[in-house]
């Protein structure tokens, strides 16, 4: 994942060099990559809403399984 991400960043900066002169191509590229974090943040927020109940459910399941041993 990390190596692929580094490759894609390099390709994006190289492609943006045709439209924007350095160092503006880096600024535009970094700003564009920030857009990927918006849906990630939303998904983490949605998952966090049910986390306490999920953790409690796993604890209950583990306690029930441990009681049968």
């Amino acid at each position: 994942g990390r190596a692929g991400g580094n490759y894609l960043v390099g390709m994006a900066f190289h492609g943006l060099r045709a439209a924007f002169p350095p160092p503006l191509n880096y600024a535009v590229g970094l700003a564009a990559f920030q857009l990927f974090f918006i849906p990630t943040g939303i998904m983490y927020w949605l998952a966090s809403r049910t986390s306490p109940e999920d953790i409690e459910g796993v604890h209950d399941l583990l306690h029930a399984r441990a009681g049968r041993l």
Side-chain angles (χ1 to χ4, degrees):
R2 287 185 180 170
N6 291 338
Y7 176 75
L8 290 174
V9 165
M11 294 301 295
F13 290 155
H14 182 72
L16 286 170
R17 190 172 15 170
F20 303 103
L24 185 59
N25 64 332
Y26 291 108
V28 171
L30 290 172
F33 280 113
Q34 296 303 311
L35 296 176
F36 291 107
F37 288 103
I38 294 171
T40 303
I42 292 170
M43 292 300 118
Y44 274 114
W45 175 70
L46 290 173
S48 73
R49 293 178 14 192
T50 61
S51 292
E53 295 87 16
D54 295 340
I55 292 169
E56 186 176 329
V58 169
H59 283 177
D60 292 344
L61 177 66
L62 291 174
H63 285 264
R65 295 280 179 155
R68 285 197 225 165
L69 295 177

